[in-house]
Amino acid sequence: MENSVEDGHFIIQDLPNLITPHMPCDQSKIVKVNYSRARYLDEYGSVYLRLKIELVNTTTGENWMLSTIAKTLPKYSVTHDIFKIRAIFKNQVGLYTTARNTIDVYLKGKGVKQGEDVMLRSFGGRINLNGSDDIDQNAVLVTTDPKCSFAGFKSVHRRTGFDFESTKAILLALAKFHAGTLALKTDKFKEFRSKVRPYLNECGSVLEGNNFEQIARIHMISALKDSGFANDIVDKAVRSFENKVSTEEADHWATFTHSNLWVKNILVKYDKKGQPLDVKLKGFQEAQYASALRDLLFFLFTSVQLVVLKQHLPDLISFYYDQFHQVLNKLEVSCDHFLRDSFNEELSRITSDGEFCKIVCALYPILGNDMHSDGSSLKDPLHITRLCFIVKEFIARDWL
């Protein structure tokens, strides 16, 4: 086997033993691996590599190519010594290998042919080469590369957001993901508890820090007052903003959630006419054991075009609910805990239990705004418009 490196000296040790058990063809043998950096994916504490793996079928002699993405730890970085980075990486390996495989097997056993197809497929992951519980420089997670020319998945610009048809496709994928994991939890709780739950963080805010939240709070008050909101509505928004996420969720709605579901972490595949065909979710660094509906609200109010929300928000919420129920019915799981009244109550509970604060704070990185550039007010018209829309809708639905 040969290796070629286009950028840097990132060679994954013992790659054949890592990925061979996960090959779609049992007779496949690695011939050559071409490495390159996928810098657009790099994030704090991790480096992404694009691996183009040339293989041969040892039975037929046919050659074929596998395009993958490998997440690794930077070999020179002090982040090796930061507990949070190590914990997140270990959890991700568990989510993409053990948890995803458990959900996939369960769904296929229930007659869902595509199984767990919302998460990217894993071709192996590990935290070291010595079999211990310690993470080291040999830690790696290999998944399919959804953006290769064959797969054809694309993302949209963070400030543009998703159109109506794309939003429906994403809600369908999200409903399948949530209902499938809740069905596993309900039907085979011991399996969920041992093979999924250990890799999920406790419910909490993705964006933390008193200074961060205080600046967002000041900006929110200023923007609402300048936009003509009455004092009592501003006060309601402030009280809801100051509510923190509970450490315990309503048990029947709590499941495997993405918890950071915005434009950057959603990929959509389109046909030649621009219609959505398939959806993949990525970026599960903050995956939590939390209410499924937290993902729903966060996605809708951070990543969908405002014109779509203004025209179709009630329909989109109902569409998710209907698709969620259809999946539960197909999996023959009781819907008694998930009736519309319970659904509506849960939406109200989570918005006043931390989700409003999380959404407001998340608008800064999502829209690409630096909150520290001016401590007194927001300057971006799109940011102000979306913030005001969120408050208006939450008030109208008695969510604040």
Side-chain angles (χ1 to χ4, degrees):
M1 180 183 75
E2 298 179 10
N3 298 294
S4 67
V5 187
E6 296 177 19
D7 184 6
H9 302 285
F10 292 89
I11 299 294
I12 298 174
Q13 301 297 323
D14 201 28
L15 183 63
N17 284 333
L18 176 68
I19 70 172
T20 298
H22 307 283
M23 288 291 102
C25 175
D26 293 339
Q27 292 77 37
S28 296
K29 179 181 178 180
I30 298 177
V31 176
K32 184 179 181 181
V33 182
N34 297 297
Y35 292 80
S36 62
R37 286 287 296 276
R39 292 185 182 276
Y40 71 97
L41 291 172
D42 285 356
E43 57 197 21
Y44 178 70
S46 62
V47 169
Y48 285 83
L49 308 174
R50 177 173 285 108
L51 277 57
K52 290 193 176 294
I53 306 172
E54 298 179 28
L55 302 106
V56 62
N57 186 311
T58 55
T59 301
T60 65
E62 180 182 1
N63 290 304
W64 62 289
M65 180 75 73
L66 177 66
S67 295
T68 66
I69 291 289
K71 179 178 181 178
T72 65
L73 293 172
K75 304 201 174 358
Y76 52 83
S77 177
V78 295
T79 55
H80 282 218
D81 299 322
I82 299 177
F83 174 77
K84 184 177 181 181
I85 296 297
R86 290 194 253 173
I88 289 174
F89 201 103
K90 290 171 73 172
N91 281 350
Q92 277 198 287
V93 171
L95 285 176
Y96 277 95
T97 55
T98 304
R100 184 191 182 282
N101 183 62
T102 299
I103 300 167
D104 187 65
V105 170
Y106 171 74
L107 293 177
K108 288 177 178 175
K110 285 283 191 173
V112 182
K113 292 182 179 180
Q114 68 272 28
E116 174 45 76
D117 63 344
V118 178
M119 294 179 70
L120 299 177
R121 177 177 177 175
S122 168
F123 287 99
R126 67 181 183 223
I127 59 174
N128 55 51
L129 283 174
N130 57 36
S132 71
D133 195 43
D134 296 325
I135 192 167
D136 62 24
Q137 71 274 10
N138 290 303
V140 61
L141 174 64
V142 182
T143 66
T144 52
D145 181 359
K147 284 194 172 183
C148 73
S149 58
F150 177 77
F153 285 85
K154 300 178 181 178
S155 58
V156 301
H157 193 278
R158 65 175 67 198
R159 291 178 62 85
T160 301
F162 291 103
D163 62 19
F164 178 66
E165 293 300 331
S166 297
T167 298
K168 287 185 65 177
I170 295 164
L171 290 177
L172 174 59
L174 193 60
K176 288 167 56 181
F177 174 67
H178 287 154
T181 56
L182 275 168
L184 172 65
K185 174 189 163 186
T186 302
D187 204 12
K188 296 188 175 182
F189 179 70
K190 290 183 178 179
E191 257 191 275
F192 180 89
R193 183 176 60 186
S194 63
K195 296 182 179 180
V196 179
R197 182 67 179 87
Y199 309 110
L200 302 175
N201 298 304
E202 295 296 330
C203 181
S205 177
V206 172
L207 299 171
E208 300 177 349
N210 291 331
N211 187 52
F212 188 102
E213 292 181 358
Q214 284 304 312
I215 295 173
R217 179 181 179 276
I218 292 170
H219 285 181
M220 178 185 71
I221 294 172
S222 175
L224 294 180
K225 288 184 175 180
D226 290 345
S227 300
F229 282 80
N231 288 335
D232 62 325
I233 293 179
V234 176
D235 291 342
K236 284 185 178 181
V238 171
R239 284 196 298 271
S240 186
F241 182 89
E242 292 174 346
N243 285 342
K244 303 304 177 185
V245 179
S246 301
T247 56
E248 295 184 3
E249 291 282 76
D251 186 63
H252 53 283
W253 284 103
T255 188
F256 177 3
T257 61
H258 186 287
S259 90
N260 195 20
L261 199 61
W262 65 285
V263 168
K264 178 183 175 182
N265 292 322
I266 303 170
L267 297 170
V268 181
K269 185 175 184 178
Y270 298 93
D271 64 18
K272 293 181 179 179
K273 296 182 179 180
Q275 294 299 304
L277 296 173
D278 197 4
V279 173
K280 299 293 182 187
L281 307 183
K282 64 184 185 70
F284 282 85
Q285 292 90 336
E286 302 285 348
Q288 296 177 352
Y289 181 68
S291 172
L293 304 192
R294 291 187 183 274
D295 276 348
L296 171 65
L297 286 184
F298 190 80
F299 162 66
L300 286 174
F301 286 100
T302 64
S303 302
V304 177
Q305 294 173 5
L306 277 177
V307 64
V308 174
L309 292 179
K310 290 176 181 178
Q311 295 177 7
H312 301 290
L313 181 58
D315 293 336
L316 292 172
I317 293 174
S318 293
F319 177 78
Y320 168 89
Y321 176 80
D322 292 341
Q323 296 302 317
F324 177 87
H325 259 250
Q326 285 184 29
V327 176
L328 287 183
N329 287 327
K330 184 174 183 177
L331 297 175
E332 300 178 328
V333 173
S334 172
C335 295
D336 291 348
H337 292 300
F338 306 106
L339 300 178
R340 188 62 193 247
D341 286 346
S342 174
F343 178 82
N344 292 338
E345 289 172 5
E346 182 67 358
L347 286 175
S348 179
R349 183 190 74 81
I350 63 175
T351 49
S352 59
D353 192 19
E355 205 60 30
F356 175 68
C357 176
K358 176 182 171 183
I359 290 171
V360 171
C361 289
L363 292 181
Y364 291 87
I366 289 174
L367 295 176
N369 292 323
D370 180 5
M371 64 159 45
H372 299 290
S373 61
D374 186 335
S376 61
S377 63
L378 291 170
K379 302 299 182 184
D380 179 5
L382 178 60
H383 194 148
I384 295 170
T385 301
R386 184 171 283 271
L387 173 62
C388 291
F389 173 81
I390 291 169
V391 172
K392 180 181 177 181
E393 285 297 321
F394 280 28
I395 288 291
R397 299 173 189 283
D398 199 25
W399 286 351
L400 294 183

